[in-house]
Amino acid sequence: MSNDTNPVITINTATNFLELGLISPLLGRLTELNYEHPTPIQAQVIPSILDGQDLIAGANTGSGKTAAFALPLLQKIHKLQLQQQLPAYKKVSKNTNQVRSNDVTGLILVPTRELAKQVADSIKSYAVHFNGAIKTVAVFGGVSANTQMLALRGGADILVATPGRLLDLISSNALKLDNVQCLILDEADRMLSLGFTEELEKILALLPKTKQTLLFSATFPDQVTSLTKTLLNNPAEIQLQSADASTLVQRVFTVDKGQKTALLAHLIKQHQWQQSLIFVNAKNACNHLADKLAKRGIKAEVFHGDKGQGARTRVLKAFKDGEVQVLIATDIAARGLDIEKLPVVINFDLPRSPSDYMHRIGRSGRAGEIGLALSIIDHDDYHHFNVIEKKNKLRLDREQVAGFETTEFINNVFGSAEKPKAKPAGTGKKKRKKEPQINADIWLGNV
Ligand code: AMP
């Protein structure tokens, strides 16, 4: 392997987990979970991680990223434990001969509290046949730090953390990062993007120089790609478009301003989706839209950063359990959340960032399930949706729903828009130049 070029990854065509080199406590668990075959990202990255390579992995969300890093991490920690005859959190320090109390071996950084819990829960589930020998702890803000400090007593083999709370716990001496052997950044673009840059820099400075670093993300914008180069040592780069992408159908409906809520309510009632996740751009917009839907007889719950952690956890659980049918959320729900069989994601407001569009829609159509991503756009959104399409290399037909045809602008199926010509005084209704496609009633049967 050359040092100045990225290693070439041979396309791995392994069709079962045994061929990937995983050991029996993991294989047994995967059988119990009915994971019959590795997903493409798992087939590609598991051998590289087991080999100790640094990695940049880009794959669509819902592609099985968590298991892709969690399984080899668990295996490596198990191997370390066998070599040292003790769980990592009871290791004896070479220098002092004292039992180390607050070390961490594998550190996984994630951008949101919910993702921290979800990732830790998945890891604990994958690890059941290690019979409690591998300790996984999740730490995140919004809840008492005391419970997390208690959980960290004796250290942890794997710590899943949001950056802010991690730094708080380090400053309270609840844990140390000196002996981290593997660092994983999940949703790396967000971790490296503004809000988190400063915290991340502080965390990176506390980590040992020699370690394995893995970056997982659905998107890698240019500005973070350069940062990843400084963070990683001769990384393998794996870019996969999920083989499941075709199971997620994307559609965009144009509607007049002021008709968005009516169209949304119409769609929810007409299609009786078992569940729908609706994205808006502001916390107060969640409540506002919930009130408007309530007036139209639709009960919706809201999920945003102003809600207490207890309420956030309860609402998300109720949604995941199918007790809540309509959830209106800000982008805190856009990343990584795994809601089984979520039939539809709706962009009521378009996300500001084109990459967030991909994160949002990735909540549906996960792991090969059929999914639908709808964007409802009015004239003000039109230009921005073109940008989102361009950045994500998409081209969607503009569609209209019968009874909600636009009068504000003229559109065509190729995505170009013309402002309506000024209405001559006294001519009554505007005349559309070109009849848009009206096929919103042709739905995928099972969504
Ligand atoms: P993730 O992208 O990690 O959030 O995973 C998305 C969903 O796929 C989760 O519900 C996982 O349990 C599931 N999953 C991950 N790997 C597999 C696999 N090899 N076979 C079946 N389901 C999987």
Side-chain angles (χ1 to χ4, degrees):
M1 190 186 303
S2 136
N3 277 336
D4 49 8
T5 55
N6 287 330
V8 175
I9 297 289
T10 316
I11 295 297
N12 196 323
T13 52
T15 52
N16 65 56
F17 287 104
L18 181 63
E19 286 176 53
L20 295 179
L22 293 177
I23 52 176
S24 54
L26 294 171
L27 294 173
R29 183 61 185 151
L30 293 172
T31 308
E32 287 165 8
L33 291 172
N34 292 323
Y35 286 15
E36 288 174 14
H37 309 287
T39 64
I41 188 74
Q42 290 162 0
Q44 293 304 301
V45 306
I46 289 174
S48 307
I49 301 175
L50 288 174
D51 267 3
Q53 265 188 318
D54 278 8
L55 190 82
I56 306 176
N60 283 342
T61 186
S63 56
K65 272 192 291 166
T66 315
F69 61 73
L71 297 170
L73 178 64
L74 285 166
Q75 181 154 328
K76 287 169 78 109
I77 288 174
H78 174 69
K79 201 170 153 198
L80 279 173
Q81 291 182 348
L82 289 180
Q83 285 162 358
Q84 299 177 358
Q85 301 293 307
L86 278 171
Y89 51 97
K90 287 187 186 156
K91 274 184 304 196
V92 176
S93 160
K94 276 186 205 139
N95 302 333
T96 62
N97 228 18
Q98 300 273 307
V99 172
R100 285 190 204 135
S101 59
N102 53 1
D103 272 345
V104 168
T105 306
L107 174 64
I108 302 167
L109 294 176
V110 295
T112 65
R113 300 164 186 179
E114 286 74 18
L115 196 53
K117 187 174 178 314
Q118 184 179 293
V119 168
D121 287 348
S122 298
I123 295 175
K124 286 177 194 166
S125 164
Y126 297 138
V128 290
H129 294 306
F130 294 116
N131 303 321
I134 299 184
K135 179 177 167 189
T136 301
V137 176
V139 298
F140 46 85
V143 291
S144 151
N146 288 342
T147 327
Q148 295 174 354
M149 281 182 189
L150 277 178
L152 281 169
R153 275 208 184 149
D157 294 298
I158 300 177
L159 180 66
V160 189
T162 53
R165 177 55 61 91
L166 178 66
L167 286 168
D168 290 348
L169 290 167
I170 292 170
S171 62
S172 323
N173 291 323
L175 70 130
K176 282 196 294 153
L177 300 183
D178 318 27
N179 289 300
V180 166
Q181 306 201 16
C182 183
L183 167 70
I184 297 168
L185 302 184
D186 193 14
E187 306 288 348
D189 53 348
R190 173 65 76 88
M191 302 302 313
L192 292 172
S193 73
L194 274 173
F196 284 114
T197 311
E198 208 176 300
E199 287 168 331
L200 196 60
E201 269 168 16
K202 285 186 193 156
I203 294 168
L204 295 177
L206 297 170
L207 290 163
K209 282 226 152 43
T210 313
K211 62 185 173 305
Q212 184 178 26
T213 305
L214 314 172
L215 294 179
F216 280 81
S217 184
T219 55
F220 284 88
D222 292 347
Q223 70 268 31
V224 297
T225 304
S226 57
L227 267 172
T228 63
K229 297 263 159 65
T230 58
L231 198 63
L232 302 175
N233 176 26
N234 194 27
E237 288 186 26
I238 294 172
Q239 265 298 341
L240 284 184
Q241 284 312 309
S242 164
D244 300 336
S246 59
T247 64
L248 179 72
V249 175
Q250 298 174 56
R251 303 180 73 165
V252 53
F253 295 160
T254 56
V255 69
D256 278 351
K257 208 170 177 58
Q259 283 293 298
K260 268 190 172 185
T261 312
L263 174 56
L264 175 67
H266 167 79
L267 292 170
I268 293 173
K269 283 182 180 164
Q270 185 187 0
H271 297 290
Q272 298 281 310
W273 291 300
Q274 210 191 346
Q275 281 171 307
S276 48
L277 175 60
I278 301 164
F279 282 103
V280 294
N281 282 347
K283 296 165 197 165
N284 57 4
C286 290
N287 298 327
H288 190 56
L289 182 58
D291 290 346
K292 289 207 284 187
L293 287 180
K295 287 191 185 124
R296 292 171 184 272
I298 295 168
K299 190 171 156 22
E301 293 286 343
V302 298
F303 185 78
H304 55 68
D306 272 357
K307 282 183 92 77
Q309 189 54 38
R312 268 165 70 164
T313 308
R314 269 194 307 280
V315 167
L316 192 62
K317 185 173 182 311
F319 191 58
K320 283 186 174 187
D321 292 349
E323 289 156 20
V324 166
Q325 268 85 50
V326 181
L327 186 66
I328 306 171
T330 59
D331 277 308
I332 59 163
R335 299 267 171 161
L337 290 189
D338 183 31
I339 299 151
E340 217 183 319
K341 296 190 171 48
L342 177 64
V344 62
V345 168
I346 302 174
N347 287 313
F348 186 78
D349 292 339
L350 288 180
R352 290 182 191 102
S353 139
S355 62
D356 279 344
Y357 174 84
M358 298 310 288
H359 290 299
R360 285 182 178 187
I361 69 170
R363 299 310 102 219
S364 184
R366 292 167 75 76
E369 296 291 341
I370 301 283
L372 179 63
L374 288 184
S375 298
I376 301 179
I377 63 171
D378 65 30
H379 187 236
D380 289 348
D381 302 316
Y382 210 86
H383 172 70
H384 188 49
F385 197 76
N386 285 346
V387 174
I388 289 176
E389 283 187 317
K390 199 167 165 205
K391 291 274 182 205
N392 291 312
K393 299 189 172 65
L394 295 170
R395 180 60 87 196
L396 303 179
D397 289 353
R398 304 314 188 245
E399 300 176 52
Q400 296 201 18
V401 178
F404 294 88
E405 294 85 352
T406 57
T407 54
E408 284 178 347
F409 61 95
I410 299 153
N411 65 358
N412 66 37
V413 294
F414 302 109
S416 64
E418 293 168 20
K419 277 196 171 181
K421 295 205 170 72
K423 191 171 66 168
T427 54
K429 266 194 154 186
K430 275 176 221 156
K431 205 174 147 203
R432 269 199 305 276
K433 257 192 180 165
K434 181 171 176 179
E435 215 35 61
Q437 240 190 345
I438 302 180
N439 60 354
D441 50 349
I442 307 168
W443 286 92
L444 296 166
N446 52 355
V447 296

